[in-house]
Amino acid sequence: MRKHQLFCLFMVTILIFMGIPIQSAYADITQIKFTSSLNGTDDIKTLENNNLDVGDNIFVKFPEKVDIEGILKDKIYIYEVLKNKLNPNTTVFSYVYSRDKYVSENTINIMKEIDMDAKIVEGNEDTIEINPKEDLIPLNEYKLMIEDDISTTFWTKSASENIIPTWNVNEMDARDKKEDTQSDTKSYTLTDVPIYNMNNQPIILYVEGEVLLNVDSQMFLEDQVYQGALKNITLEDSYDSKPVGIEKYELEYIDEKTKIKLYPAYRDPNNPGEYLKEKLDSGKLYKLYIPQGTFETRGRKVLEALTLNLYTEPDPTIEKTIAYLEDHYMSIEDLKKEEKTFVVKGANFHHKVVKATLKKGNKEPLDIQDVTFKDPSRIDVHIRNEVKNKLSQDDYIGDYEVCITFDDAPLTVADHVYKTISSVHDSSYNGTDKEDKLYLHIGKGKPIVKGWVPTSKNIDEKSLKHDTLDDVTKDKYFIKLIFDDSDNKLTFSNIDNLTNCIVRPVGGAGNVVDTQFINDILEMSSEKQKTYKENYIFKKEGQQATLYIPVKALRAQTTYQVFISPDIVFYEDIYEGNAPINDWTFSTNVKPLVKEISVGSIPEDYDEDEPLYIYGDFFSSDSGKIKVYFNDIEAESVTVVSENELKVFLPEGSDRLDPGIYDIIVQNDENHKRTVNGSISVIKSGDKEDIPNEEYKIKEDGSIGEVRSNLKMSEDTLLISPSDINERELEIDLDKIMGTEVLTRKIQYEGDKRYNIGMLKTKSKWADITLYGLTLDPYAENDEIMVRIGRVEPSVTKMLKTKLRGKGIKSEFIQVTGENYKMKNIQISMSLKYSNGKNIKVLRYDEDTRSFYENRFTVNLVDKKIEMLSPYKGIFVVVGN
């Protein structure tokens, strides 16, 4: 019977794992419900939807027509899956590494039978109630078997405890322990830890609280438990950068605490199951990392991540080795300015360091007594005082072998026993950059950048010209790097290397380096290339050299980042090239935005000491640079109050403004200025503010803007205030501000691509018109937006009626036309004439194609209005169909 039982368990488990439904003598097991209550809707076979508490009974509900009495005659078993206990009577759990998996070490007695009884639920003859005789364990897996026929696993739900587990590093065996408080995760450095091995000297970690391995990564299959979370733990040899395997894990529980043991070894990657070394190396740094959530409590509270830097204790019986050098590049220029320190990394060092010695060819060795033992894998060598002065001389440039001398005599012996190791001859490092890492490099230093152009904010991109202006450069733009060339040894590598430099908008893509200019030079003869290089690319003057990088025309109001490749320039005597540059940024100037001017008119005898204020955005912060003009007359002075406000004093003396209407021009520089047309009037003393000029008079100057009335025709123009060009909604009653009889109405303002009027609503007795998303057309010839809205001019009406000869005109001709703008949609509500709203259609006349197109519409019979939407500008009219 037992053999048959184990066979069934094996086959059922395999079929469950493969996702194949199990057919039994009683029913398809997928149709059987396993719940924590009689009317339960949970599924105790899963962790997600599970309400089974430790003292609850288990309910098994079968489909109808199942012989429940026959089931109860069989033996029902419940087993607790012990999750890899070595035996049922111990508190030690063990996993071993096997075929790239961690599995429970012992395959016998991994389940313990739970005493229980079972009965048919009264009134529910299709349900069995199972009553375990002992409390189950929270967040634990069990196996339920009904002899020969049914086998499944189920879980208990997690505990309701709120205990948060924590690492206790203080109990670890080490000479010194130091926490890294700057790390994002729990991190410690431990010095002189034991030389751990895979047999009897494990890494032992301590946790406050009972934790188990993450249950989501566990799988019970056949007679073993597989644990995936352990594969996420890493132990790395920091010098060889290769992982060290953990061959076995043990979890031991003592007094509400958990002891975790890790048994390390160097695996042989070419021979699975074999080992290169069964223990860690002495006097070496290892990094152990355990991710957050690898362990958790039965209440599903996860244990935080842990990083340990483990320095194993040195072994005096084993040879010391130098792995490589760090911070080992320095220049004589650096040494002239400051003390330097380089680092010797290796293994098995001890604190009795005598000296470091620098060796180079036949040159006399240079001893350095100023050394510091940091840990068994690190020694710092300090270059100070007389040593520093020597190494900062030109004849000390070169590559040096580094030797470290130790006194290996035991403490009980008076005589010295000196042992010297070399960075070249005793190195254990095998990286591809080995030759580079074994020497101390004293160099002339990389070429020094004295400056670059441009560097600051608000640069006029049109001003980035070459210092030599001629027919070659007059239409080109350049940025430049200025290098120190005190000894005239700096040279330029190759013109082609300029194509590896990048100039682009911050956060953007592409490259605005003028590769066409570079390619044109590359196609020249060698002699001509040399001339162009010396005159236009790399120009040497005095004790400096300037590298010119050609760029395409840059955009205004843009921040650029510049990346310069290494070794574009270099010292020809030692071939030491420039370092890469990736922190160079500059921004081009911006066109100022004027939203509001504090006054719209001033008297002829204005007070020169009384300023006016201009409000807006993107004003230059440099009061000496920004200028304000009234037509072509410059303001007496301009003070930048902020980026959004200017304080302007009017011209005085011979430049005093005469009566008339003036445009105000705000100029950040010659190429970045904003003109506000007709924005201020100077009025003769005693005259009214609406004195007309030869073309128009000011009809209204309200909060929305100024209304100008044309003196020669029935046409009014509203100049919208700059403060309103980015409103979400702007509503204008044209009849109120212009009068009902004005024939042609225009709306005008200075546009900006960054701003739009969400809804411009206009009302009049002729038509109510709303423009959605009104903004400057990116392809506009200039920034002056002009919207013609409402009835059309008589000459246009006559022309359109001629085109529509024979069709009955049922409305006014209503236009939404103009220049330099775009919008998302137009909504029009216009009155009908001579029509009951039947047998009509709406036509739109397109001024570009000079053709009519039908437009969809609806009829409001109550108000006798036509209502429509159109994404296009045009002249709209209702005609008979």
Side-chain angles (χ1 to χ4, degrees), residues 617-633:
D617 208 349
F618 311 117
F619 298 144
S620 172
S621 59
D622 187 351
S623 293
K625 188 175 180 182
I626 193 166
K627 298 182 184 299
V628 174
Y629 293 89
F630 300 88
N631 290 349
D632 58 350
I633 303 171

Side-chain angles (χ1 to χ4, degrees), residues 366-516:
L366 183 61
D367 288 337
I368 304 175
Q369 267 77 33
D370 198 351
V371 294
T372 303
F373 169 77
K374 301 292 286 187
D375 59 57
S377 66
R378 172 174 173 168
I379 292 171
D380 289 356
V381 182
H382 309 288
I383 300 178
R384 300 170 178 155
N385 305 323
E386 208 168 312
V387 174
K388 168 180 166 297
N389 295 334
K390 278 189 177 182
L391 290 177
S392 61
Q393 299 174 29
D394 286 348
D395 55 349
Y396 276 86
I397 291 174
D399 298 337
Y400 290 83
E401 174 189 357
V402 178
C403 297
I404 303 294
T405 301
F406 296 88
D407 184 355
D408 282 354
L411 294 175
T412 56
V413 177
D415 294 336
H416 298 290
V417 179
Y418 295 120
K419 172 65 177 177
T420 299
I421 57 174
S422 162
S423 63
V424 176
H425 305 294
D426 299 302
S427 173
S428 60
Y429 184 67
N430 292 312
T432 55
D433 55 350
K434 179 175 181 177
E435 288 303 315
D436 172 69
K437 287 201 163 192
L438 302 186
Y439 291 90
L440 173 67
H441 303 277
I442 307 291
K444 182 175 181 178
K446 292 184 176 297
I448 299 171
V449 178
K450 295 177 64 177
W452 43 52
V453 177
T455 58
S456 60
K457 293 182 177 180
N458 301 329
I459 295 296
D460 180 3
E461 67 278 5
K462 305 296 184 185
S463 70
L464 297 176
K465 290 295 186 177
H466 202 286
D467 294 316
T468 301
L469 281 176
D470 56 20
D471 290 341
V472 174
T473 63
K474 65 180 181 180
D475 297 324
K476 302 293 182 183
Y477 300 96
F478 297 83
I479 61 175
K480 60 187 180 182
L481 278 168
I482 303 166
F483 292 91
D484 178 76
D485 190 24
S486 302
D487 58 0
N488 199 31
K489 297 290 187 182
L490 195 65
T491 188
F492 179 65
S493 60
N494 192 305
I495 293 175
D496 191 34
N497 287 341
L498 288 178
T499 59
N500 297 323
C501 298
I502 298 173
V503 182
R504 68 186 180 201
V506 171
N511 189 2
V512 297
V513 170
D514 190 350
T515 54
Q516 183 60 53

Side-chain angles (χ1 to χ4, degrees), residues 512-645:
V512 297
V513 170
D514 190 350
T515 54
Q516 183 60 53
F517 182 73
I518 297 169
N519 290 332
D520 288 344
I521 297 175
L522 291 172
E523 292 176 1
M524 298 174 182
S525 65
S526 299
E527 191 61 33
K528 196 171 183 180
Q529 274 192 39
K530 182 175 182 294
T531 301
Y532 266 64
K533 182 182 81 169
E534 292 175 352
N535 291 335
Y536 305 119
I537 300 298
F538 190 66
K539 198 167 185 177
K540 303 181 71 167
E541 290 180 335
Q543 293 187 331
Q544 69 181 33
T546 303
L547 174 67
Y548 294 89
I549 301 168
V551 293
K552 301 171 187 175
L554 304 181
R555 295 201 307 253
Q557 197 177 349
T558 304
T559 299
Y560 288 90
Q561 56 189 155
V562 183
F563 301 93
I564 303 298
S565 303
D567 302 327
I568 283 187
V569 299
F570 60 91
Y571 291 119
E572 59 185 16
D573 53 342
I574 60 170
Y575 204 84
E576 183 79 43
N578 64 281
I581 296 174
N582 52 26
D583 57 352
W584 179 6
T585 62
F586 64 90
S587 58
T588 52
N589 217 338
V590 57
K591 189 174 182 179
L593 173 67
V594 177
K595 295 182 178 179
E596 185 178 349
I597 300 167
S598 61
V599 295
S601 59
I602 55 174
E604 180 183 16
D605 57 349
Y606 62 80
D607 184 352
E608 298 166 344
D609 296 325
E610 186 68 29
L612 63 81
Y613 292 87
I614 299 175
Y615 304 98
D617 208 349
F618 311 117
F619 298 144
S620 172
S621 59
D622 187 351
S623 293
K625 188 175 180 182
I626 193 166
K627 298 182 184 299
V628 174
Y629 293 89
F630 300 88
N631 290 349
D632 58 350
I633 303 171
E634 186 174 352
E636 184 63 26
S637 66
V638 179
T639 300
V640 180
V641 179
S642 71
E643 192 182 34
N644 309 106
E645 181 180 353

Side-chain angles (χ1 to χ4, degrees), residues 235-244 266 276-277 279-282 284-287 321-324 345-347 377 427-434 437:
L235 179 63
E236 186 177 280
D237 181 331
S238 62
Y239 302 127
D240 292 342
S241 297
K242 54 189 175 187
V244 182
Y266 284 86
L276 300 174
K277 287 182 281 191
K279 65 178 181 178
L280 303 187
D281 293 330
S282 60
K284 211 171 192 182
L285 170 62
Y286 293 87
K287 292 182 180 291
T321 58
I322 293 177
Y324 51 81
K345 303 288 281 190
S377 66
S427 173
S428 60
Y429 184 67
N430 292 312
T432 55
D433 55 350
K434 179 175 181 177
K437 287 201 163 192

Side-chain angles (χ1 to χ4, degrees), residues 32 104 179 187 308 383 419 450 512 545 556 560 647 665 687 690 698 746 754 781 798 809 839:
I32 302 173
S104 50
E179 183 176 4
S187 180
L308 293 179
I383 300 178
K419 172 65 177 177
K450 295 177 64 177
V512 297
Y560 288 90
K647 182 180 181 180
I665 302 159
D687 288 350
D690 61 351
I698 298 174
K746 296 180 180 178
R754 295 165 300 169
E781 293 182 359
K798 182 177 179 180
I809 307 299
N839 299 318

Side-chain angles (χ1 to χ4, degrees), residues 50-321:
N50 190 328
N51 296 322
L52 183 62
D53 213 341
V54 294
D56 290 347
N57 289 348
I58 300 157
F59 293 84
V60 184
K61 183 178 178 62
F62 292 85
E64 62 278 1
K65 299 181 181 179
V66 173
D67 181 11
I68 299 293
E69 294 286 352
I71 293 174
L72 289 179
K73 289 178 182 177
D74 288 334
K75 183 69 181 288
I76 298 176
Y77 303 91
I78 292 181
Y79 296 97
E80 175 190 338
V81 179
L82 296 181
K83 301 299 182 204
N84 63 319
K85 281 187 178 179
L86 293 175
N87 62 70
N89 300 314
T90 185
T91 57
V92 177
F93 295 71
S94 178
Y95 284 91
V96 294
Y97 183 79
S98 175
R99 298 180 181 179
D100 203 34
K101 298 181 180 66
Y102 284 98
V103 299
S104 50
E105 183 176 23
N106 198 357
T107 59
I108 303 172
N109 294 325
I110 65 168
M111 295 194 300
K112 181 186 81 172
E113 185 173 349
I114 304 293
D115 193 18
M116 43 70 66
D117 56 34
K119 65 178 181 180
I120 299 173
V121 178
E122 186 175 349
N124 293 271
E125 284 72 18
D126 58 353
T127 302
I128 295 175
E129 180 178 2
I130 300 172
N131 176 26
K133 293 296 183 64
E134 60 181 80
D135 281 351
L136 305 180
I137 301 172
L139 197 64
N140 204 59
E141 190 176 15
Y142 294 85
K143 179 171 284 293
L144 172 64
M145 296 179 63
I146 300 177
E147 187 171 9
D148 297 337
D149 291 288
I150 296 174
S151 175
T152 188
T153 59
F154 67 90
W155 289 84
T156 48
K157 71 176 185 178
S158 59
S160 58
E161 64 187 21
N162 290 314
I163 299 173
I164 306 296
T166 57
W167 294 104
N168 182 357
V169 176
N170 290 330
E171 291 195 32
M172 292 188 66
D173 184 10
R175 176 176 61 81
D176 182 62
K177 310 178 187 77
K178 183 178 179 181
E179 183 176 4
D180 180 1
T181 56
Q182 302 300 315
S183 174
D184 294 335
T185 60
K186 197 65 107 176
S187 180
Y188 292 85
T189 296
L190 281 68
T191 305
D192 283 1
V193 299
I195 301 171
Y196 304 118
N197 63 55
M198 63 177 287
N199 299 310
N200 54 19
Q201 184 68 67
I203 302 170
I204 303 178
L205 309 176
Y206 299 87
V207 179
E208 297 295 326
E210 180 193 359
V211 293
L212 55 154
L213 285 158
N214 182 281
V215 296
D216 293 322
S217 59
Q218 289 184 168
M219 182 175 67
F220 176 68
L221 183 61
E222 300 181 32
D223 56 354
Q224 288 183 312
V225 176
Y226 293 81
Q227 176 49 255
L230 293 173
K231 292 189 67 176
N232 299 324
I233 298 175
T234 59
L235 179 63
E236 186 177 280
D237 181 331
S238 62
Y239 302 127
D240 292 342
S241 297
K242 54 189 175 187
V244 182
I246 306 296
E247 297 311 295
K248 183 168 71 171
Y249 289 88
E250 287 181 357
L251 278 71
E252 183 176 356
Y253 301 100
I254 306 170
D255 299 329
E256 301 301 320
K257 296 182 180 182
T258 307
K259 185 187 291 187
I260 304 169
K261 298 179 181 179
L262 297 74
Y263 293 82
Y266 284 86
R267 297 179 188 137
D268 185 345
N270 300 318
N271 297 290
E274 300 295 325
Y275 302 99
L276 300 174
K277 287 182 281 191
E278 295 187 358
K279 65 178 181 178
L280 303 187
D281 293 330
S282 60
K284 211 171 192 182
L285 170 62
Y286 293 87
K287 292 182 180 291
L288 173 67
Y289 176 67
I290 301 177
Q292 176 174 301
T294 303
F295 298 93
E296 63 179 330
T297 68
R298 294 196 182 275
R300 303 228 73 173
K301 303 297 181 184
V302 299
L303 183 60
E304 63 189 326
L306 177 66
T307 300
L308 293 179
N309 297 306
L310 303 170
Y311 290 94
T312 54
E313 59 189 353
D315 185 346
T317 65
I318 297 177
E319 291 294 329
K320 305 168 189 63
T321 58

